[in-house]
Amino acid sequence: MRILIIDDHALVREGVALVLRELGGFDVVGEAEDGRQVLNSPLLATCDVLVLDLSLPKVAGPEVLRRVKAAHPSLAVVVLSMHPEDQF
């Protein structure tokens, strides 16, 4: 499974990537630190799952989610956030 990790904190990206690699069966194909980077990434067309933080600079996570799902409706998205669900 090809994973693209989006989070504005490098430590979080590295930690999620490490856990996924150690679990096996996951290939972290890329990372991005802000919403603009992920929206411009050619990896969106080739990854299976997007791990997305909602608190992103440049383009906020909810807007990234809306645009990504419009362009790639079959792409699975896992939202990873410290915010309560009802806040978004």
Side-chain angles (χ1 to χ4, degrees):
M1 190 173 294
R2 296 172 311 252
I3 312 288
L4 180 58
I5 301 171
I6 318 306
D7 195 290
D8 57 329
H9 296 95
L11 186 59
V12 172
R13 291 191 313 271
E14 291 169 15
V16 170
L18 179 65
V19 168
L20 291 172
R21 287 184 182 115
E22 287 191 8
L23 285 172
F26 300 100
D27 181 19
V28 177
V29 296
E31 300 177 7
E33 63 186 36
D34 65 59
R36 188 174 303 142
Q37 284 180 340
V38 69
L39 292 173
N40 294 328
S41 176
L43 295 172
L44 280 175
T46 62
C47 70
D48 301 308
V49 178
L50 183 69
V51 176
L52 176 67
D53 181 16
L54 291 179
S55 299
L56 294 173
K58 299 188 181 173
V59 180
E63 179 64 15
V64 169
L65 179 59
R66 186 187 68 73
R67 291 187 196 179
V68 164
K69 291 307 283 183
H72 307 278
S74 64
L75 178 62
V77 178
V78 176
V79 173
L80 181 65
S81 180
M82 66 177 204
H83 300 286
E85 185 177 338
D86 61 345
Q87 187 172 352
F88 287 95

